[in-house]
Amino acid sequence: MHRADPDTPFSEPEIYDEVAYAYDGTLEGLLSAIFAAYERHENPTDVVPESRLQPRLGQRVAAIPTNMNHAARVLRGVKRACGWRAAHAVKQASCSDEPDAGTAAYRFVRYAMDEQKLRACDRCRKRASCKARGGTGPCPKMRGRALSDITHPAVERLFRISRSIDQECEHMRQFVRFQHLRGESEGSGTSTEVWFARVNPKASVVPLVMDHFVERLGVQPFIIYDEVHELAGVYDGGDWHLVATAGQGDLAGALPDPTADEALFNEAWRAFYRSVSVGARYHPELRRQFMPKRFWKNLTELQESPASLRRPTS
């Protein structure tokens, strides 16, 4: 049997309780589960949404109810102790479809908070004027370091999830295509206009990109419908909110019809796309890398032109 070197420092492995925390899949539910772990003095093996929970053999399952007050306290604590970037990474983890995203967020928060407790103020030059001296608060010098330590297992997994969500948000900003819809409101006789986009991302990132499109479209109402996660971001010209469409069928069937000029505008966009392409530099593999194929069915420029707008071929 191999014998450890007595001069090598020994670090004991982290001990987890054989319990899984199940939450409702929302950011508030995840933060409530993190709060419950501290409140119950437990270290759960898994923190997973109820819809994806697969208990291990002999593992106890604890259903954690969502508590908005507890969620707000945890988010404020993470921001105060670890900085805005760390809190944003936890938010991104709540939008991920990775089965271990909730567990990664919990273990990161646990690690980041423990690191704050291990700080040494004795040799700090600012200890006399620091508001956090003597362990009374988070150290300003260590606030942004938690998410930077990507060599630590508790940070590395959340960092990868956060980077994946950033990439998916960028894809959404690039590949969302809106349709102009207009219809008559029943009874009032007034017309309703809205811009509608259908998307199918691999993570529930609609809440993370709504502010971007609100800034771009201004006061124009629009709807971004995530058909994979059955979630719609609705902007009425003043404020935006999320609508869960699970069990309500296809949202597009309840919307107004496209405007009379919508087909012409779509064809104009397809013509522009064809005109700027360089056939000699066509690279299908590189195209699929930068424009994932799962987005193609909702991209106007890659759709077939209607028969009424096709040019006759000689």
Side-chain angles (χ1 to χ4, degrees), residues 32 42 63-64 71 89 96 108 122 146 159 172 176 186 191 199 217 220 223 239 245 249 262 272 275 279-280 287 300:
S32 299
E42 293 180 333
I64 307 299
S96 175
F108 167 77
D122 297 339
F159 178 81
M172 287 281 289
V176 169
E186 296 183 3
S191 62
V199 296
L217 275 71
Q220 178 63 54
I223 299 174
D239 197 5
T245 62
E262 181 63 24
F272 170 77
S275 66
R287 181 192 196 184
T300 305

Short mmCIF file of all heavy atoms in Angstrom, two decimals, residues 32 42 63-64 71 89 96 108 122 146 159 172 176 186 191 199 217 220 223 239 245 249 262 272 275 279-280 287 300:
data_model
loop_
_atom_site.label_atom_id
_atom_site.label_comp_id
_atom_site.label_asym_id
_atom_site.label_seq_id
_atom_site.Cartn_x
_atom_site.Cartn_y
_atom_site.Cartn_z
N SER A 32 -33.19 29.52 -2.93
CA SER A 32 -33.87 29.01 -1.73
C SER A 32 -33.23 27.71 -1.25
O SER A 32 -33.11 27.47 -0.05
CB SER A 32 -35.36 28.80 -2.01
OG SER A 32 -35.99 30.02 -2.35
N GLU A 42 -26.67 21.36 6.45
CA GLU A 42 -26.45 20.19 5.61
C GLU A 42 -25.56 20.57 4.44
O GLU A 42 -25.45 21.74 4.06
CB GLU A 42 -27.78 19.63 5.10
CG GLU A 42 -28.66 19.03 6.18
CD GLU A 42 -29.96 18.48 5.63
OE1 GLU A 42 -30.42 18.98 4.58
OE2 GLU A 42 -30.53 17.56 6.25
N ALA A 63 -37.58 18.12 -0.74
CA ALA A 63 -38.19 19.11 -1.63
C ALA A 63 -38.11 20.48 -0.96
O ALA A 63 -38.64 20.68 0.13
CB ALA A 63 -39.65 18.73 -1.92
N ILE A 64 -37.46 21.42 -1.62
CA ILE A 64 -37.25 22.76 -1.06
C ILE A 64 -38.25 23.72 -1.68
O ILE A 64 -38.21 23.97 -2.90
CB ILE A 64 -35.82 23.25 -1.31
CG1 ILE A 64 -34.79 22.22 -0.82
CG2 ILE A 64 -35.60 24.60 -0.66
CD1 ILE A 64 -34.87 21.93 0.65
N ALA A 71 -34.40 33.78 -1.09
CA ALA A 71 -33.66 33.93 -2.34
C ALA A 71 -32.99 35.30 -2.43
O ALA A 71 -31.83 35.42 -2.84
CB ALA A 71 -34.59 33.72 -3.53
N ALA A 89 -22.99 34.74 -12.48
CA ALA A 89 -22.70 33.35 -12.84
C ALA A 89 -23.71 32.40 -12.21
O ALA A 89 -24.12 31.41 -12.83
CB ALA A 89 -21.28 32.99 -12.43
N SER A 96 -29.30 27.14 -17.15
CA SER A 96 -28.65 26.07 -17.89
C SER A 96 -29.48 24.80 -17.88
O SER A 96 -30.20 24.52 -16.92
CB SER A 96 -27.26 25.80 -17.30
OG SER A 96 -26.64 24.69 -17.93
N PHE A 108 -20.16 26.36 -5.53
CA PHE A 108 -19.39 27.59 -5.69
C PHE A 108 -19.70 28.58 -4.57
O PHE A 108 -18.78 29.18 -4.00
CB PHE A 108 -19.69 28.23 -7.04
CG PHE A 108 -19.17 29.63 -7.15
CD1 PHE A 108 -17.83 29.87 -7.37
CD2 PHE A 108 -20.03 30.71 -7.01
CE1 PHE A 108 -17.35 31.17 -7.45
CE2 PHE A 108 -19.55 32.01 -7.08
CZ PHE A 108 -18.21 32.24 -7.31
N ASP A 122 -4.29 40.58 9.51
CA ASP A 122 -3.20 41.08 10.36
C ASP A 122 -2.18 41.89 9.57
O ASP A 122 -1.68 42.91 10.04
CB ASP A 122 -2.50 39.92 11.07
CG ASP A 122 -3.44 39.18 12.02
OD1 ASP A 122 -4.45 39.81 12.41
OD2 ASP A 122 -3.17 38.01 12.35
N ALA A 146 -13.07 35.00 -6.09
CA ALA A 146 -13.67 33.66 -6.02
C ALA A 146 -13.86 33.07 -7.41
O ALA A 146 -13.49 31.92 -7.66
CB ALA A 146 -15.00 33.73 -5.28
N PHE A 159 -17.69 28.03 -13.86
CA PHE A 159 -17.08 28.88 -14.89
C PHE A 159 -17.41 28.35 -16.28
O PHE A 159 -17.73 29.13 -17.20
CB PHE A 159 -15.57 28.94 -14.67
CG PHE A 159 -14.84 29.75 -15.70
CD1 PHE A 159 -14.79 31.13 -15.60
CD2 PHE A 159 -14.20 29.13 -16.77
CE1 PHE A 159 -14.11 31.88 -16.55
CE2 PHE A 159 -13.53 29.88 -17.72
CZ PHE A 159 -13.48 31.26 -17.61
N MET A 172 -28.24 33.99 -29.50
CA MET A 172 -29.59 34.55 -29.53
C MET A 172 -29.57 35.97 -30.09
O MET A 172 -30.44 36.35 -30.89
CB MET A 172 -30.18 34.55 -28.12
CG MET A 172 -30.58 33.19 -27.61
SD MET A 172 -32.17 32.67 -28.31
CE MET A 172 -33.26 33.78 -27.43
N VAL A 176 -31.81 35.76 -33.81
CA VAL A 176 -33.24 35.99 -33.63
C VAL A 176 -33.76 36.74 -34.85
O VAL A 176 -33.21 37.77 -35.24
CB VAL A 176 -33.52 36.77 -32.34
CG1 VAL A 176 -34.97 37.24 -32.30
CG2 VAL A 176 -33.24 35.91 -31.12
N GLU A 186 -60.70 41.91 -31.15
CA GLU A 186 -62.12 41.58 -31.17
C GLU A 186 -62.91 42.56 -30.30
O GLU A 186 -62.55 42.84 -29.17
CB GLU A 186 -62.33 40.15 -30.65
CG GLU A 186 -61.69 39.09 -31.53
CD GLU A 186 -61.97 37.69 -31.02
OE1 GLU A 186 -62.72 37.59 -30.02
OE2 GLU A 186 -61.47 36.73 -31.60
N SER A 191 -56.47 47.95 -34.27
CA SER A 191 -55.46 47.02 -34.77
C SER A 191 -54.36 46.84 -33.74
O SER A 191 -54.02 47.75 -32.99
CB SER A 191 -54.86 47.53 -36.09
OG SER A 191 -54.22 48.77 -35.88
N VAL A 199 -37.60 30.90 -31.28
CA VAL A 199 -36.22 30.47 -31.08
C VAL A 199 -36.21 29.09 -30.44
O VAL A 199 -37.20 28.66 -29.85
CB VAL A 199 -35.44 31.47 -30.20
CG1 VAL A 199 -35.32 32.82 -30.89
CG2 VAL A 199 -36.09 31.63 -28.84
N LEU A 217 -35.27 47.60 -29.68
CA LEU A 217 -36.56 47.85 -30.30
C LEU A 217 -37.30 49.04 -29.70
O LEU A 217 -38.33 49.46 -30.23
CB LEU A 217 -37.44 46.61 -30.25
CG LEU A 217 -37.23 45.60 -31.39
CD1 LEU A 217 -35.90 44.88 -31.25
CD2 LEU A 217 -38.37 44.59 -31.44
N GLN A 220 -41.38 49.48 -29.31
CA GLN A 220 -42.11 48.54 -30.16
C GLN A 220 -42.38 47.23 -29.43
O GLN A 220 -41.45 46.55 -29.00
CB GLN A 220 -41.31 48.26 -31.43
CG GLN A 220 -41.95 47.26 -32.37
CD GLN A 220 -43.28 47.76 -32.89
OE1 GLN A 220 -43.36 48.85 -33.43
NE2 GLN A 220 -44.31 46.96 -32.74
N ILE A 223 -42.46 39.79 -28.98
CA ILE A 223 -42.52 38.52 -28.25
C ILE A 223 -41.40 37.63 -28.76
O ILE A 223 -41.24 37.46 -29.97
CB ILE A 223 -43.88 37.80 -28.45
CG1 ILE A 223 -45.03 38.67 -27.93
CG2 ILE A 223 -43.88 36.45 -27.75
CD1 ILE A 223 -46.40 38.09 -28.23
N ASP A 239 -42.69 47.59 -20.26
CA ASP A 239 -41.97 46.66 -19.40
C ASP A 239 -42.10 45.27 -20.00
O ASP A 239 -42.99 45.00 -20.81
CB ASP A 239 -42.55 46.69 -17.99
CG ASP A 239 -41.61 46.07 -16.96
OD1 ASP A 239 -40.48 45.72 -17.36
OD2 ASP A 239 -42.00 45.93 -15.79
N THR A 245 -45.66 28.84 -21.22
CA THR A 245 -46.67 28.37 -22.17
C THR A 245 -46.83 26.86 -22.13
O THR A 245 -47.47 26.29 -23.02
CB THR A 245 -46.28 28.79 -23.60
OG1 THR A 245 -45.02 28.19 -23.95
CG2 THR A 245 -46.15 30.30 -23.69
N GLY A 249 -50.32 24.68 -25.74
CA GLY A 249 -50.21 24.51 -27.18
C GLY A 249 -49.21 25.48 -27.79
O GLY A 249 -48.43 26.13 -27.09
N GLU A 262 -44.96 41.47 -45.23
CA GLU A 262 -43.97 40.64 -44.54
C GLU A 262 -43.26 39.69 -45.50
O GLU A 262 -42.03 39.53 -45.42
CB GLU A 262 -44.65 39.86 -43.43
CG GLU A 262 -43.71 38.96 -42.62
CD GLU A 262 -42.65 39.74 -41.86
OE1 GLU A 262 -42.88 40.93 -41.58
OE2 GLU A 262 -41.59 39.16 -41.56
N PHE A 272 -30.63 39.88 -50.20
CA PHE A 272 -29.42 40.53 -49.67
C PHE A 272 -28.43 39.49 -49.18
O PHE A 272 -27.22 39.59 -49.43
CB PHE A 272 -29.82 41.47 -48.53
CG PHE A 272 -28.65 42.00 -47.76
CD1 PHE A 272 -27.85 43.00 -48.27
CD2 PHE A 272 -28.32 41.47 -46.52
CE1 PHE A 272 -26.76 43.48 -47.57
CE2 PHE A 272 -27.23 41.94 -45.81
CZ PHE A 272 -26.45 42.95 -46.34
N SER A 275 -26.72 37.97 -52.10
CA SER A 275 -25.86 38.90 -52.85
C SER A 275 -24.51 39.12 -52.17
O SER A 275 -23.51 39.39 -52.84
CB SER A 275 -26.57 40.24 -53.04
OG SER A 275 -26.75 40.90 -51.79
N GLY A 279 -19.38 32.66 -53.32
CA GLY A 279 -19.46 31.24 -53.61
C GLY A 279 -18.12 30.54 -53.55
O GLY A 279 -18.02 29.38 -53.14
N ALA A 280 -17.06 31.23 -53.97
CA ALA A 280 -15.74 30.60 -53.98
C ALA A 280 -15.21 30.33 -52.58
O ALA A 280 -14.31 29.51 -52.42
CB ALA A 280 -14.76 31.50 -54.74
N ARG A 287 -19.40 27.18 -41.49
CA ARG A 287 -20.72 27.80 -41.35
C ARG A 287 -21.50 27.16 -40.21
O ARG A 287 -22.12 27.85 -39.41
CB ARG A 287 -21.48 27.63 -42.66
CG ARG A 287 -22.86 28.26 -42.67
CD ARG A 287 -23.60 27.77 -43.90
NE ARG A 287 -24.76 28.57 -44.19
CZ ARG A 287 -25.60 28.29 -45.18
NH1 ARG A 287 -25.37 27.26 -45.97
NH2 ARG A 287 -26.67 29.04 -45.39
N THR A 300 -34.69 33.46 -41.44
CA THR A 300 -35.39 33.87 -42.65
C THR A 300 -34.55 33.62 -43.89
O THR A 300 -35.05 33.16 -44.93
CB THR A 300 -35.74 35.36 -42.56
OG1 THR A 300 -36.49 35.60 -41.37
CG2 THR A 300 -36.55 35.81 -43.77
#
